[in-house]
Amino acid sequence: MAKRPSDSEEAAASKRARPAPTPPLQTSALTPLTPIPEQLDVDAAINARKAEILALHRAMKQAREATNTRAWQLLPRNLRRRAASHNLLRLPARLRGKARAELRASNTTPKSRSAMRRRAPERTLTGFVRRRHALAHRAARSDRRWLETHLWHAKRFRMSQDKRAQDGGTGTFGFSLAESPHQKSFRKSARYSSNAPMLHDASYVSVFRLTARSSRRHPSLATRRLQLLLYLAGAAHGWEDAWSVGAQLCSTVLLQRPSGERANAASALFLAPLAPIQVLWAPREGARRECHVWVHPAGTQELRQLLMQALDAVQAEPRRSTKHKSAVAQRWDIPVEVRVEQLESAPPPPLAAGTPHTRRGQAHKLDAVELSDREGYNVFELSGPDAGRVLGGVLQPVEPSGRSEALAQRLFARIAGKEDAVQPTHLPHGTVVSLLVHDPRLAFPPKNVPPPKPGACAPLPDLVHDDRPALVDGRFFAYRHLPTFTKGAIDKRRAQLVPGEPLTPTASDDHVPVMLIATAQSTPATAGYVLLVPRGWGLPFWHSLVYTGARVLSQEQLRQRSLNAGHASFPHDWVASRAFAALEDAAAAERAQAWQRRPPAKRVNYDRGDSASAHPFGGMALWRDALRHGAHADVCAAPVAAPVDPASWARLKEGVPHASGAQHTRYVSLWTRRAYQDGVVLPGHSVPRPTVHHALVPVLLIASRRGAFQAVATVHIPSTLQDTKAWRAALDPPTRLKDSARSDLDALERSAPTPHVGAVTTGDYALADGRGRAVASMSLLAWLELERREEALAAEAAPHRWGLRKRNPVPLTHLVLVRNPQGGVLRAASARLIHT
């Protein structure tokens, strides 16, 4: 065995092995006596002044951090809190020394850990119970009810209530919703919408449950009776046999059905759309069928009224002596029990206040929450290309117990990207998948599924296109259980494990049924999934969804995203609905009051009697004048012809009311272009003015050049076809004529406008394409005139030559002119029909 060298021998050996010291670097300073070298050694020059350069950088950094930036300002924007200005414990350890010196310099005593743990009167059980009871009392108000995620949103968003009014004012559509974020994140949300998932709590939707029970010998009668009820209520779709299977969610519109003497015109093509609705059929359960109808809370009154009228008609039909033939075949000799009830959209007040459990064994008990049969559920909308990967990290399915559950989990694995990834746009719109998952708090924090490798997408399984509801079950609609364990109990179990080790589900843990619905929209940014969560489980699932990095959208951001995607937002863009009339009247009064508060020298003079500013504050009279101007003979002079079914023409003339007085104007808005072509125009017939006199169409306006459109901005069309050609030539001239076209465009923009034929409902500068964009409603006759001009321009256009297509073409199709309510110049825009 060799002898180990001593410390002195090791030190001597290290000295012998030490390399020789390097000679000092020669400075590269130049003097008048030294000749200028042919080449300058940059490395030698920098190394000679290395210490001085580092000292200068160090001094600059210290000066910048010490004088200009405080310790709390060094944190990211999302971690800054005003309450943390005097609390060192809210800062990371690397910044506490700097913060302590800053507080010492300002003669401020920082809070110690003992002061944080001191039991103040408000931190006792009595104060806790008092605060929870106060929150539950505030959540019980009927005019501004709370959602389960209200407390989470209230800390990060401006809620929908008027702070100037006593006790906070009223909410929006009966709820206290998140209107706008505290941070300026509109541009950031628009930039992240192409790849980051977007999350929105839409649990405020109104849900109507339609149930029918028949005899066991005739189970199909319950389905037929519900189909007839939906048809008579005004649902454009959702009552057909293809939707009653329950495998898909039907997105349609609620049409105004004529009642009384005009009840025979219920199948007319021109009917006023009241609100967008969604119809979801539950799987069959013997002789009982159940159907859920979703509607925005602004359209609750219209849907309830139409459902009750349809229910009375269905119940009165068996007692009639003569039965008429209905759209859905019925057997009236066998009784069928039909019920219509509205589910509670808002959770119980204690649950919204954050106290779902009773504190037993203590002096002060909180009220227990008992879920009734009429409780609704939570609706979370998750959109974006990575929405599936987020759901894959949050939802942990239970081991399947049957073939249907195995098929559903197989498709969910494709959605989550655990196998061959499937984008939301690849699935049929409205595909419903039922899952039984573990408590999401057991796997907190969730981990997103890694992005899939680039490659070809595997074909979808045949079960998606199968007519049988193999992926849907009825466990979700019958689930009425709150979480068994509190968050504190789960945290105690997690504290006994090694940090970072996930909890293992036990037999006593909850298995929660959820439903996943694919929404394949027109753009990948708006396509995603709708997650239905039972009542009482909204906050656990919400915390997991937010932790994954999904950006939460407020009401304003939601409307901004709809504008960028080219969709009409209800009720702000549905001129034919009653909710829009109420909102427009309130907005017009608010605009008038804001104008009156401004000094006369600093406001636009609307009192000068200018015809272009007849309705500067908006109001429903703005659209009545647009209909009157759109029906003028000079606007739509030539007829439009198209092939049509004669039966549709006869049904249209029979069901559509004729022109009435200005005081009783009923807006009839088209919801498809094909509905007009199939029921309005005949070859050789002119446009029927009494029929379409009160028709409005929603259009999307895209600015051709400059301009951002505001609300209640008026929409005009050029007087003649020659004016349209002049505008197009000035907007998109050849390169050699740009200078003259610029002067021509300035002259055209300052010209007097024609009477307006529409108005803007929502307008802003779209961050998606960098142009002004707006959603407007204009007269149908004016839109037909634009189509006639497009056909004439297309016939006169020269044939396209290869290689002459512009990289960034100017939008010029269906050219209209827009003028803001403050007056000023006209801005050209391209109009496109919106299919609502």
Side-chain angles (χ1 to χ4, degrees):
M1 185 173 180
K3 183 179 178 181
R4 183 177 181 181
S6 60
D7 297 339
S8 59
E9 296 178 354
E10 291 182 355
S14 61
K15 290 182 179 180
R16 290 192 299 267
R18 185 176 303 171
T22 57
L25 295 175
Q26 299 296 331
T27 60
S28 60
L30 300 178
T31 63
L33 299 179
T34 59
I36 300 177
E38 297 180 358
Q39 294 182 355
L40 179 64
D41 192 355
V42 180
D43 295 337
I46 294 178
N47 291 333
R49 297 291 185 265
K50 182 178 181 181
E52 300 176 7
I53 295 175
L54 294 179
L56 178 61
H57 278 277
R58 192 181 307 110
M60 294 172 58
K61 181 179 180 181
Q62 291 177 357
R64 182 172 59 252
E65 294 180 355
T67 58
N68 299 333
T69 307
R70 294 177 61 88
W72 286 272
Q73 295 176 345
L74 296 176
L75 292 175
R77 186 176 296 273
N78 59 332
L79 297 180
R80 298 180 188 178
R81 300 289 185 271
R82 290 188 302 172
S85 57
H86 295 156
N87 187 2
L88 300 177
L89 302 180
R90 292 182 179 269
L91 290 174
R94 60 182 177 85
L95 296 176
R96 290 178 185 175
K98 175 179 173 55
R100 187 178 292 105
E102 293 174 355
L103 293 179
R104 192 182 303 112
S106 61
N107 298 327
T108 303
T109 303
K111 293 183 180 180
S112 60
R113 196 174 298 273
S114 60
M116 295 291 296
R117 295 178 178 177
R118 187 177 302 121
R119 297 188 62 84
E122 291 297 324
R123 296 179 63 87
T124 59
L125 180 60
T126 305
F128 172 77
V129 173
R130 183 184 60 79
R131 289 193 303 271
R132 289 301 180 181
H133 275 297
L135 290 176
H137 177 71
R138 293 173 57 187
R141 289 169 292 191
S142 59
D143 55 345
R144 43 181 176 160
R145 296 169 291 175
W146 288 7
L147 303 179
E148 292 189 27
T149 60
H150 174 84
L151 295 180
W152 189 93
H153 283 91
K155 296 178 182 180
R156 299 163 177 86
F157 293 85
R158 298 180 182 91
M159 309 306 290
S160 55
Q161 53 191 8
D162 189 3
K163 298 294 185 181
R164 297 170 296 180
Q166 187 179 5
D167 198 20
T170 58
T172 303
F173 310 119
F175 291 89
S176 181
L177 304 178
E179 289 294 335
S180 60
H182 289 305
Q183 300 178 359
K184 299 179 181 179
S185 58
F186 280 86
R187 294 182 61 184
K188 192 173 183 179
S189 298
R191 184 168 59 251
Y192 285 3
S193 61
S194 58
N195 49 15
M198 299 294 170
L199 182 62
H200 176 65
D201 186 3
S203 304
Y204 50 84
V205 296
S206 299
V207 181
F208 286 86
R209 181 170 59 188
L210 317 179
T211 56
R213 187 182 299 275
S214 61
S215 61
R216 295 184 177 180
R217 298 180 57 184
H218 305 85
S220 61
L221 293 182
T223 303
R224 295 182 181 178
R225 202 60 54 90
L226 287 185
Q227 290 177 339
L228 180 62
L229 180 65
L230 286 174
Y231 174 77
L232 296 179
H237 297 287
W239 49 270
E240 296 89 347
D241 294 336
W243 302 106
S244 62
V245 177
Q248 283 185 288
L249 173 71
C250 178
S251 298
T252 180
V253 293
L254 181 67
L255 301 178
Q256 177 66 54
R257 292 299 190 189
S259 59
E261 298 178 357
R262 310 190 62 84
N264 57 350
S267 60
L269 294 179
F270 262 51
L271 295 173
L274 301 180
I277 61 174
Q278 290 81 32
V279 181
L280 178 62
W281 287 78
R284 184 186 302 275
E285 298 179 0
R288 182 179 181 275
R289 287 308 307 267
E290 182 177 340
C291 177
H292 290 201
V293 183
W294 301 351
V295 68
H296 192 275
T300 304
Q301 182 179 358
E302 287 82 0
L303 180 58
R304 184 191 298 110
Q305 180 180 359
L306 292 177
L307 285 175
M308 291 305 171
Q309 293 178 1
L311 182 61
D312 295 340
V314 170
Q315 293 178 350
E317 186 65 24
R319 298 190 296 268
R320 295 179 57 177
S321 58
T322 58
K323 310 289 190 306
H324 67 276
K325 185 178 180 182
S326 60
V328 183
Q330 300 289 328
R331 287 191 58 179
W332 301 106
D333 55 338
I334 301 177
V336 179
E337 180 185 359
V338 183
R339 297 180 58 185
V340 176
E341 54 185 348
Q342 183 179 359
L343 302 182
E344 296 291 342
S345 300
L351 185 60
T355 57
H357 296 277
T358 304
R359 290 181 173 269
R360 300 177 180 177
Q362 298 182 4
H364 303 277
K365 297 181 180 180
L366 298 177
D367 298 333
V369 177
E370 295 182 0
L371 299 180
S372 62
D373 185 60
R374 295 189 58 182
E375 290 292 339
Y377 35 82
N378 297 278
V379 181
F380 298 151
E381 297 179 355
L382 193 64
S383 59
D386 294 339
R389 298 197 300 110
V390 170
L391 293 173
V394 174
L395 304 181
Q396 305 296 330
V398 182
E399 289 295 330
S401 58
R403 179 179 177 274
S404 60
E405 293 186 13
L407 293 177
Q409 293 188 16
R410 176 186 170 191
L411 179 59
F412 176 71
R414 297 283 306 275
I415 292 175
K418 298 179 180 179
E419 297 180 2
D420 296 329
V422 172
Q423 294 295 333
T425 54
H426 298 164
L427 293 172
H429 178 70
T431 303
V432 183
V433 182
S434 296
L435 296 173
L436 189 65
V437 299
H438 291 287
D439 190 341
R441 297 173 296 179
L442 299 177
F444 191 86
K447 297 180 180 179
N448 295 347
V449 178
K453 298 180 180 179
C457 180
L460 289 174
D462 296 337
L463 54 92
V464 176
H465 306 281
D466 197 351
D467 294 336
R468 298 172 300 171
L471 308 177
V472 187
D473 53 53
R475 292 175 297 182
F476 172 78
F477 300 101
Y479 191 80
R480 296 290 183 273
H481 302 287
L482 292 173
T484 304
F485 300 100
T486 62
K487 183 178 181 298
I490 295 180
D491 290 342
K492 288 181 180 179
R493 292 170 50 185
R494 186 179 288 108
Q496 299 176 1
L497 302 176
V498 178
E501 182 179 357
L503 283 173
T504 302
T506 61
S508 58
D509 288 327
D510 295 310
H511 293 170
V512 188
V514 298
M515 295 191 72
L516 198 62
I517 304 176
T519 56
Q521 300 292 342
S522 57
T523 58
T526 56
Y529 303 94
V530 176
L531 180 64
L532 304 184
V533 178
R535 176 70 73 216
W537 288 90
L539 209 55
F541 280 90
W542 181 263
H543 285 161
S544 297
L545 290 172
V546 171
Y547 189 87
T548 57
R551 298 190 62 86
V552 181
L553 299 180
S554 62
Q555 295 294 319
E556 292 184 4
Q557 292 172 320
L558 199 65
R559 292 193 292 269
Q560 183 75 14
R561 189 186 65 169
S562 300
L563 177 63
N564 291 337
H567 299 160
S569 176
F570 181 83
H572 304 85
D573 299 328
W574 287 59
V575 183
S577 62
R578 299 179 184 176
F580 178 83
L583 291 177
E584 182 62 21
D585 292 340
E590 185 177 354
R591 297 188 195 104
Q593 292 176 4
W595 181 79
Q596 290 288 347
R597 289 192 299 265
R598 293 182 64 88
K602 296 184 178 180
R603 67 188 183 191
V604 180
N605 186 12
Y606 293 130
D607 301 332
R608 63 180 183 272
D610 189 358
S611 60
S613 302
H615 306 283
F617 309 118
M620 297 307 295
L622 177 65
W623 276 269
R624 285 197 291 267
D625 289 351
L627 289 173
R628 180 170 55 86
H629 297 155
H632 197 269
D634 296 339
V635 176
C636 187
V640 180
V644 74
D645 184 11
S648 301
W649 171 261
R651 187 168 63 252
L652 175 68
K653 292 193 300 182
E654 181 181 320
V656 176
H658 293 281
S660 56
Q663 300 297 330
H664 305 282
T665 301
R666 291 185 60 189
Y667 298 98
V668 182
S669 177
L670 293 181
W671 52 280
T672 56
R673 171 63 179 160
R674 184 177 180 181
Y676 172 79
Q677 293 179 346
D678 291 346
V680 177
V681 188
L682 278 176
H685 290 73
S686 61
V687 177
R689 300 185 187 280
T691 303
V692 297
H693 182 75
H694 296 286
L696 288 170
V697 289
V699 293
L700 176 66
L701 304 181
I702 302 176
S704 300
R705 286 292 187 182
R706 297 171 293 182
F709 312 129
Q710 303 175 6
V712 302
T714 54
V715 179
H716 315 262
I717 63 174
S719 301
T720 60
L721 180 60
Q722 298 299 327
D723 294 341
T724 302
K725 294 179 180 179
W727 274 94
R728 294 173 65 120
L731 290 170
D732 191 16
T735 306
R736 65 181 182 276
L737 301 177
K738 279 190 175 182
D739 295 337
S740 60
R742 186 178 295 108
S743 59
D744 296 342
L745 181 61
D746 293 341
L748 290 173
E749 289 179 345
R750 288 173 171 80
S751 60
T754 57
H756 70 280
V757 295
V760 173
T761 54
T762 302
D764 201 352
Y765 186 83
L767 301 176
D769 53 1
R771 294 178 181 271
R773 180 174 289 200
V775 176
S777 294
M778 61 184 303
S779 172
L780 171 63
L781 296 178
W783 173 260
L784 294 177
E785 172 64 15
L786 292 179
E787 289 194 341
R788 185 189 67 84
R789 295 182 182 182
E790 287 298 320
E791 294 178 358
L793 292 173
E796 297 177 3
H800 174 68
R801 295 176 58 185
W802 178 260
L804 296 182
R805 187 181 301 276
K806 290 188 176 182
R807 178 179 301 177
N808 297 318
V810 180
L812 299 174
T813 58
H814 299 88
L815 189 67
V816 297
L817 309 178
V818 185
R819 185 178 184 181
N820 285 328
Q822 292 84 4
V825 299
L826 296 172
R827 299 299 187 186
S830 174
R832 187 177 66 190
L833 197 65
I834 297 178
H835 299 285
T836 56

